[in-house]
Amino acid sequence: QVLLVESGGGLVQAGDSLRLSCAASGGTFSRYTMGWFRQAPGKEREFVSRISWSDGGTVYAGSVKGRFTVSRDNAKNAMYLQMNSLKPEDTAVYYCAAGLAGAGSYRYWGQGTQVTVSS
């Protein structure tokens, strides 16, 4: 059973930085794509970024490109999201997700971590 646990959220001011972590267990992650999603109050969940566990290839949503950086540590089975120059519109619950590479969907989800950016 794959288990994903996010951490690192909090309350920060606009322009600050935060680093989210996703601890993964229970799977062979070399075959997975890992992703970050977020959901703001009253809005649908949206894609933020993803990384290939095997080759480290990354993709970003346009709204975070240049400010957020996704990375992974294969030895620790962990994924990270470094968020710089945070804006109030980045306020959301951030979720970690995992799915088999090429599957086109994410089967496993974490419980989420709240990020709040004040202006």
Side-chain angles (χ1 to χ4, degrees):
Q1 178 73 18
V2 173
L3 180 64
L4 305 175
V5 179
E6 305 95 334
S7 61
L11 172 63
V12 297
Q13 293 186 331
D16 286 350
S17 298
L18 271 179
R19 188 193 195 207
L20 303 184
S21 299
C22 174
S25 62
T28 306
F29 295 101
S30 60
R31 300 163 53 199
Y32 280 69
T33 293
M34 306 288 290
W36 287 102
F37 290 77
R38 66 186 182 186
Q39 187 166 20
K43 295 187 177 181
E44 293 189 354
R45 185 172 60 196
E46 65 173 357
F47 167 79
V48 175
S49 181
R50 70 171 185 259
I51 186 166
S52 168
W53 207 265
S54 59
D55 64 14
T58 59
V59 177
Y60 296 93
S63 60
V64 306
K65 198 169 186 178
R67 299 188 298 123
F68 291 10
T69 303
V70 62
S71 62
R72 90 265 194 244
D73 185 328
N74 290 17
K76 296 182 178 180
N77 275 355
M79 178 177 65
Y80 307 98
L81 187 67
Q82 178 66 42
M83 306 186 295
N84 298 331
S85 302
L86 282 162
K87 304 175 181 180
E89 51 264 44
D90 294 318
T91 295
V93 177
Y94 283 71
Y95 297 91
C96 167
L100 287 172
S105 63
Y106 293 85
R107 181 174 180 181
Y108 304 103
W109 294 83
Q111 83 289 348
T113 185
Q114 176 70 47
V115 172
T116 303
V117 184
S118 64
S119 57

